[in-house]
Amino acid sequence: MSIKLDHRLLYLRVIEKIKQDIDAGVYREGEKLPSEFELSKQLGVSRATLREALRILEDEKFVVRKHGVGTFISSKPPFTSGIEELFSVTDMITRAKMTPGTKVLVAEKVLATEREADRLKIEPNSPIYRIVRIRYADDTPVVYCVDKVPAHLVSNPETLTEGKSLFDALEKEVGRRVAYAITHIEPSVSSDISSQLQTDQPLLALKQLHYDESDLPLLDSANFFRADRFDFHVVRKRV
């Protein structure tokens, strides 16, 4: 089916269409895609546009391209997300058609350090809730989460440890919606966290300060992702 009626950049439409087809089971794990000629004709785009889309899909590990043989659907596509898109860990796991799970390691009320207070725009030594969790995908530990929330916002702290999306819990408990986050991405080496996640692979740390729709800080988090299971990407344009 032609995708020319969509007004975004053509190669981005091709990427989305192929991902949708993978999700819908049109293409299965390990299956070879039609030839570039056939696929470009099906989608109503040029072969150059298709090649650019396939190149990005290969970078995202959705497909494997074998020279002289063809393009194949990766056997196990990783969790992947555009870094410009803000999803909870629960949403990311669910979108990958896996079952999210949670193990709470720490749930405590502590006094904010000067740095924590500055980030959350509260007075030093103000109480905050600090929650440390391991997030699971189909019983496999994939993310180590450290979250901090100003205590004065929360009347029932048990809602923060119910095992659901913390974004949803905050919206329910505080009545304020996480609208955006300022994110810093760092490589991380921690034998303790790696042990908790049952991996010897590198970790990818996303340190984020989340704001509500009034630009007020709501949640300070540090999430450590297994780099062998997650891929974050962004489309950048030359200006």
Side-chain angles (χ1 to χ4, degrees), residues 169-197:
L170 284 171
E171 188 167 356
K172 174 183 175 182
E173 169 66 18
V174 181
R176 288 161 60 182
R177 179 177 178 272
V178 172
Y180 66 95
I182 305 299
T183 304
H184 293 273
I185 307 172
E186 305 172 4
S188 178
V189 177
S190 169
S191 57
D192 180 57
I193 295 178
S194 294
S195 176
Q196 295 275 11
L197 295 178

Side-chain angles (χ1 to χ4, degrees), residues 28-83:
R28 302 186 181 279
E29 294 181 0
E31 181 178 347
K32 182 181 178 181
L33 288 175
S35 68
E36 288 186 359
F37 174 79
E38 294 171 335
L39 195 53
S40 62
K41 186 176 180 181
Q42 289 177 19
L43 297 173
V45 299
S46 70
R47 293 178 71 176
T49 295
L50 177 64
R51 288 187 186 119
E52 176 64 11
L54 292 177
R55 183 188 64 77
I56 294 173
L57 285 168
E58 183 177 33
D59 288 344
E60 294 181 4
K61 299 180 176 61
F62 273 92
V63 301
V64 176
R65 304 174 77 185
K66 300 180 181 180
H67 183 68
V69 180
T71 302
F72 297 81
I73 303 300
S74 296
S75 57
K76 289 185 178 180
F79 300 101
T80 183
S81 175
I83 200 65

Side-chain angles (χ1 to χ4, degrees), residues 12 30 40 50 64 76-77 91 102 112 140 142 149 172-173 179 193 207-208 210 214-215 218 226 230:
L12 294 177
S40 62
L50 177 64
V64 176
K76 289 185 178 180
D91 287 339
T102 303
T140 298
V142 291
V149 182
K172 174 183 175 182
E173 169 66 18
I193 295 178
K207 298 184 178 180
Q208 305 185 94
H210 300 79
S214 298
D215 300 322
L218 185 59
R226 283 179 51 165
F230 284 85

Side-chain angles (χ1 to χ4, degrees), residues 3 7-8 15 20 27 37 42 44 50 80 82 99 120 130 132 146 150-151 169 173 179 185 190 212-213 233 235:
I3 56 176
H7 297 293
R8 291 169 300 161
I15 291 169
Q20 289 173 348
Y27 303 119
F37 174 79
Q42 289 177 19
L50 177 64
T80 183
T99 302
L120 290 167
R130 177 176 176 268
V132 181
V146 181
E173 169 66 18
I185 307 172
S190 169
D212 67 10
E213 293 165 325
H233 57 272
V235 176

Side-chain angles (χ1 to χ4, degrees), residues 158-177:
E158 290 183 3
T159 60
L160 304 180
T161 56
E162 290 178 343
K164 300 178 182 178
S165 163
L166 195 55
F167 284 8
D168 292 343
L170 284 171
E171 188 167 356
K172 174 183 175 182
E173 169 66 18
V174 181
R176 288 161 60 182
R177 179 177 178 272

